[in-house]
Amino acid sequence: GPSAPPRRVDVAVVGAGFGGLYALHKLRSQGFEVQGFEAGDGVGGTWYWNRYPGARCDFESVEYSYSFSEELQQEWSWSERYAAQPEILRYANHVADRFGLRPLIRFNTRIVSAVFDRADALWRLQTDAGDTLEARHCVMATGNLSTTKYPDIPGRDSFEGRYFHTGAWPHEGVDFSGQRVGVIGTGSSGVQAIPLIARQASHLHVFQRTPPYSLPAHNRPVPKEEEDAWKRRYPEIRAAAKKTISGIAAFHKPTQSALEVSEAERLAAYEKHWNDGRTSITRIYNDLLRNEAANATVSTFVQNKVREMVRDPEVAEALVPRHMLGTRRVCLDTDYYDTYNRDNVTLVDLQRTPIEAITPRGIRTAAGEVALDAIVFATGFDAMTGTLLAIDIRTSDGVTLRERWSAGPRTYLGLMTHGLPNLFLITGPGSPGVLTNMILSIEQHVDWVAQCLADMRQRGLAVIEPELAAQDGWVEHVNALADETLYPRANSWYLGANVPGKPRVFMPYVGGVEAYRKACDEVVAAGYRGFAFAPAPAAGAS
Ligand code: NA7
């Protein structure tokens, strides 16, 4: 029999993390009809999925929080300098309830395909439940670190114990008491989880391929007076954050070269920063991410710290990172290095003894088999593009995102892709997103999209698409900026280097949030330079 026509809205928002929540709120407040979709059964995105022990933000919570509502930022209290995952998830839930966003979201629903019908100028989104929604515009707030990646090691399914990925942690938690546990991976997630798992497990083996740089968080409760003082200065702090590279007011924009000061002065500055507890050590001098000799000064400083903290010299040497600090994400930890001074912790250096297989009993390296009851995969994500490319995104006349991005992602301003009209990315490749305070970048993107859609409505336009030349120019600019830095010199997920076969393209815009906002705003001021518009088609116009 005839089925009801699909529901039609102005904007579909995919994902209900911090990006999706704010997009729903902002677009609805401008009078657009919106529909959200979320694969999980709750809001929070990253903070919904990553429930592993020790998960916390490595930006201070007073800055890693929404600024769009003065009441929200005045009324919400953060208990710690670096809030842990459960508190950040409570905050996401508070925001969803406070602004009435939950009814706008379909939970437990994954978008499997999105097809733009050129004749009707509508996106048709198909869910994994098999139903369809039509939307004039589609906002992909699908996150940059949302598709978990297991390593290509044979035998995982033969393992007879339990295994977990940090990015898809069981809601009920995991009790490792009395167990022999193996952790594979020492990025931000591993560095946070390892100290806590070590305290619970009977024995912990850490399987390390690349030693990270990790700085002490000096996490602590936030006293009331400090919070009050902060809240009084909030407008000033939020404004200052926009004028930085990372979108964090506390990360100052450096003016001096590391090589123009004396060694004593440099070491004092690094020491002060070490005791302060922030990841922004590369922001002390302006050439730490641009000049190898400058970088060596800070890399060596942290390498020596590692040697001081770990008692067994052989273990210490294996933990000393060798790449240039900052070219891969710097970690922030609580007791990470001291964990290797415990009797029940063994470091397995995979550079010496690579993993050969996962066996029914544990993990076999070139040095033999380690018997384990549980394995934790802290092995990261198919970052920035994985989640988007897992959705079949295409147009009715045969353009596919997968094909357009086959040699690496291409966007104009990180916001849109040529050939795929009315599809907006939040903090996507070509934007500074992943290198910055994500919530600040999310707000800027969503505000830009909301303004754009409001302008289009006012001018009676229904279709927006970046021009190919504008996109090529932006991609070239993003690459040129990256090539002036040391970033592309390391194997990192910024480059897709952690996923075998992924094109090696440095994906984020390194110019910082201030320059990026200026670029986006200038395009608007120049009448949306580089974008082409069209009115709604006569038939099927809504
Ligand atoms: P990351 O930073 O991508 O770290 C993944 C870790 O897993 C890293 O140490 C990898 O070593 C290791 N890994 C990956 N595959 C393997 C194999 N096959 N064998 C051994 N070790 C492996 O992910 P996180 O979840 O820690 O952090 C992601 C982001 O979340 C982080 O940057 C912050 O922005 C927050 P490798 O370095 O590839 O040698």
Side-chain angles (χ1 to χ4, degrees):
S3 54
R7 192 168 152 241
R8 183 181 295 184
V9 299
D10 296 319
V11 191
V13 175
V14 186
F18 283 125
L21 288 177
Y22 181 52
L24 288 168
H25 169 70
K26 178 79 185 183
L27 292 165
R28 183 190 53 186
S29 75
Q30 301 213 338
F32 292 107
E33 193 182 345
V34 290
Q35 176 65 55
F37 293 96
E38 168 55 50
D41 71 1
V43 300
T46 289
W47 304 104
Y48 171 92
W49 297 103
N50 287 267
R51 301 178 189 227
Y52 60 85
R56 63 179 72 248
C57 189
D58 51 18
F59 290 137
E60 287 162 290
S61 297
V62 287
E63 296 217 49
Y64 183 83
S65 49
Y66 286 122
S67 70
F68 71 84
S69 160
E70 179 60 14
E71 297 73 34
L72 171 66
Q73 69 183 10
Q74 290 300 330
E75 285 168 28
W76 181 265
S77 272
W78 294 105
S79 69
E80 288 181 283
R81 181 182 185 196
Y82 294 106
Q85 172 271 331
E87 186 168 358
I88 304 175
L89 185 58
R90 273 202 301 283
Y91 174 73
N93 277 285
H94 170 81
V95 169
D97 290 330
R98 183 180 186 115
F99 298 99
L101 304 177
R102 230 177 272 282
L104 304 176
I105 305 163
R106 260 184 72 185
F107 291 99
N108 299 305
T109 306
R110 203 175 269 283
I111 296 300
V112 292
S113 74
V115 181
F116 185 73
D117 187 319
R118 283 204 181 264
D120 299 338
L122 286 172
W123 280 99
R124 294 213 169 79
L125 286 88
Q126 182 116 39
T127 72
D128 56 0
D131 44 359
T132 305
L133 177 94
E134 293 179 345
R136 170 108 318 144
H137 299 277
C138 190
V139 172
M140 303 308 277
T142 41
N144 285 289
L145 297 160
S146 44
T147 295
T148 55
K149 189 187 132 288
Y150 284 97
D152 298 333
I153 301 171
R156 172 158 50 95
D157 292 329
S158 75
F159 182 58
E160 285 165 2
R162 299 178 303 163
Y163 68 84
F164 310 94
H165 193 291
T166 50
W169 203 257
H171 288 198
E172 64 279 12
V174 182
D175 185 2
F176 292 114
S177 303
Q179 303 220 315
R180 298 162 303 173
V181 182
V183 174
I184 304 178
T186 52
S188 300
S189 303
V191 161
Q192 291 182 336
I194 284 163
L196 293 175
I197 296 174
R199 281 183 218 161
Q200 214 180 43
S202 65
H203 200 97
L204 172 64
H205 280 83
V206 176
F207 296 86
Q208 170 194 271
R209 190 163 65 180
T210 308
Y213 285 92
S214 187
L215 309 179
H218 300 299
N219 191 27
R220 51 175 172 75
V222 178
K224 179 87 175 71
E225 320 77 73
E226 193 178 315
E227 183 188 347
D228 290 346
W230 187 274
K231 284 181 175 176
R232 277 194 298 276
R233 291 178 49 229
Y234 242 138
E236 182 193 322
I237 288 159
R238 299 295 195 189
K242 293 179 182 174
K243 301 222 167 298
T244 63
I245 294 169
S246 314
I248 297 281
F251 293 11
H252 302 292
K253 210 157 65 177
T255 52
Q256 257 184 326
S257 157
L259 303 176
E260 72 183 64
V261 302
S262 71
E263 188 182 6
E265 185 181 331
R266 235 174 14 229
L267 289 177
Y270 295 154
E271 189 69 35
K272 181 169 173 289
H273 194 284
W274 180 269
N275 294 322
D276 194 31
R278 289 198 176 94
T279 55
S280 52
I281 198 158
T282 56
R283 301 275 173 237
I284 296 178
Y285 300 110
N286 61 18
D287 50 357
L288 293 175
L289 288 173
R290 296 179 163 266
N291 175 305
E292 236 175 293
N295 185 282
T297 65
V298 72
S299 293
T300 305
F301 171 82
V302 177
Q303 289 164 357
N304 288 334
K305 285 287 186 192
V306 175
R307 294 187 176 102
E308 283 168 26
M309 287 183 291
V310 179
R311 281 199 287 275
D312 181 323
E314 206 178 313
V315 176
E317 223 37 53
L319 286 166
V320 169
R322 308 289 165 179
H323 59 283
M324 289 184 276
L325 187 154
T327 55
R328 297 156 50 95
R329 176 92 172 205
V330 173
C331 304
L332 203 63
D333 74 85
T334 300
D335 299 336
Y336 179 64
Y337 291 106
D338 199 36
T339 299
Y340 294 95
N341 295 325
R342 295 174 66 101
D343 292 335
N344 72 331
V345 175
T346 305
L347 180 69
V348 182
D349 180 355
L350 300 181
Q351 289 181 10
R352 284 183 173 203
T353 55
I355 295 182
E356 290 172 350
I358 295 174
T359 66
R361 295 188 49 220
I363 296 176
R364 195 179 70 234
T365 73
E369 186 180 67
V370 178
L372 298 168
D373 302 303
I375 300 175
V376 173
F377 291 92
T379 46
F381 302 87
D382 184 351
M384 304 193 71
T385 56
T387 308
L388 287 168
L389 293 177
I391 304 171
D392 183 11
I393 298 175
R394 58 176 69 235
T395 65
S396 56
D397 54 352
V399 175
T400 71
L401 184 68
R402 195 164 267 283
E403 180 266 320
R404 288 294 163 115
W405 285 12
S406 59
R410 299 186 75 80
T411 66
Y412 182 38
L413 297 170
L415 287 164
M416 300 193 84
T417 289
H418 174 72
L420 295 153
N422 294 7
L423 181 81
F424 295 93
L425 311 177
I426 301 300
T427 68
S431 88
V434 295
L435 299 176
T436 70
N437 175 359
M438 194 52 93
I439 299 189
L440 177 139
S441 287
I442 281 167
E443 288 186 333
Q444 185 248 337
H445 265 183
V446 169
D447 289 346
W448 193 96
V449 172
Q451 159 98 56
C452 172
L453 295 189
D455 289 347
M456 286 174 66
R457 179 174 55 194
Q458 211 204 335
R459 292 163 57 195
L461 298 169
V463 183
I464 174 172
E465 182 184 346
E467 291 160 357
L468 184 58
Q471 175 169 293
D472 287 347
W474 182 253
V475 170
E476 212 173 285
H477 176 57
V478 168
N479 289 337
L481 287 181
D483 287 342
E484 286 170 20
T485 72
L486 301 173
Y487 278 112
R489 308 264 290 272
N491 285 324
S492 67
W493 58 256
Y494 301 136
L495 263 166
N498 65 326
V499 178
K502 193 164 167 171
R504 282 181 74 104
V505 175
F506 191 82
M507 296 182 276
Y509 168 87
V510 301
V513 299
E514 183 184 27
Y516 176 72
R517 181 185 302 263
K518 199 162 157 256
C520 291
D521 291 350
E522 276 173 8
V523 162
V524 175
Y528 289 92
R529 186 183 59 229
F531 286 101
F533 294 90
S542 51

